[in-house]
Amino acid sequence: MANEPRHLTNAPIVEAMIAFDFVVSGGLDDLRNAFLERIRSRYPNQAPIQKAEITFNAEGSTGKTNVVGARCVSLNGKNVCAMNENSFICSRLHPYENWESLSSEFRHLWEVFTTSGALTVTKAAVRYINKIFIPEGSEIFDSIFTYPKLADGLPQDMSSVFVRLQLAIPEPPGILLVTEAQLPPEKPKYVAIALDHDLQFPVTEQTGDVWKLLEEARRLKNQYFFASISEELLKEYA
């Protein structure tokens, strides 16, 4: 029997997201407008996403702004749904509840979104952004295992950091984008670090059930997170 996923009572997650990239047959504007109306009672705070286009020529430049999507926030301000010309995202802000709640909300919104049009999913993604606090003066390498190693000939006092890695996921085939960045001071005597894991998987005719793919992405995001930080640090969020 497979082991149950590890669970942290006070997980350091500041935002968790599930996303599909898609192509649509037919008019996206009508599909989007119908979707926004259907979810308005649960997501009343709706704002357009705009894209500016600027054209340069011998006479100067001209520009125009087009509405390409919308960002919707739930009544409690904790759930966000956004879509543009080719992507659909559902996220949960802090405090994070659990995977079941997030994935259920995403699936419900996606099914509402696809009611009025034919869409084909081309990519599935799961992204979790964590905020980790490290005591000042401690060795960060002892707490977060993916971190830049300084050459011996360089100054060793690191005042800030930004790391971005793209790693191949062998099975199911995909990529893992790892981003780490030092955040502005928040807690006295602690350094705040953002740990961002973005798992992306192409969806093809050979992929199979895309919902099972998301469940596998969930398993991998847990595996990668717990492999990234020390057991001692995990005790802070247990």
Side-chain angles (χ1 to χ4, degrees), residues 54-63:
I54 302 176
T55 303
F56 295 93
N57 52 46
E59 288 73 33
S61 63
T62 59

Side-chain angles (χ1 to χ4, degrees), residues 80-94:
V80 179
C81 177
M83 77 290 302
N84 59 27
E85 297 164 300
N86 59 9
S87 66
F88 185 92
I89 304 167
C90 178
S91 70
R92 168 72 188 192
L93 305 179
H94 180 80

Side-chain angles (χ1 to χ4, degrees), residues 198-218:
D198 187 356
L199 294 78
Q200 303 179 11
F201 302 90
V203 175
T204 67
E205 293 180 354
Q206 288 72 43
T207 298
D209 188 341
V210 71
W211 303 108
K212 290 183 179 179
L213 176 62
L214 285 180
E215 290 296 328
E216 181 64 9
R218 178 258 188 121

Side-chain angles (χ1 to χ4, degrees), residues 5-118:
R6 295 182 66 177
H7 176 74
L8 298 177
T9 302
N10 301 301
I13 299 165
V14 294
E15 186 170 9
M17 289 164 273
I18 300 176
F20 281 164
D21 280 4
F22 63 85
V23 293
V24 60
S25 301
L28 180 57
D29 288 345
D30 290 342
L31 188 155
R32 182 173 61 242
N33 291 338
F35 170 75
L36 294 177
E37 191 57 39
R38 289 190 181 99
I39 68 167
R40 191 174 301 277
S41 62
R42 296 178 61 221
Y43 287 77
N45 186 358
Q46 301 184 356
I49 296 173
Q50 299 180 327
K51 180 172 69 175
E53 296 181 358
I54 302 176
T55 303
F56 295 93
N57 52 46
E59 288 73 33
S61 63
T62 59
K64 62 178 181 179
T65 301
N66 297 320
V67 174
V68 297
R71 183 178 185 272
C72 310
V73 182
S74 64
L75 282 167
N76 65 5
K78 300 302 182 182
N79 293 87
V80 179
C81 177
M83 77 290 302
N84 59 27
E85 297 164 300
N86 59 9
S87 66
F88 185 92
I89 304 167
C90 178
S91 70
R92 168 72 188 192
L93 305 179
H94 180 80
Y96 178 70
E97 295 176 314
N98 51 57
W99 169 262
E100 290 73 21
S101 176
L102 174 62
S103 59
S104 175
E105 184 69 1
F106 176 84
R107 185 162 187 163
H108 168 73
L109 291 171
W110 177 255
E111 289 174 350
V112 173
F113 185 57
T114 57
T115 298
S116 301

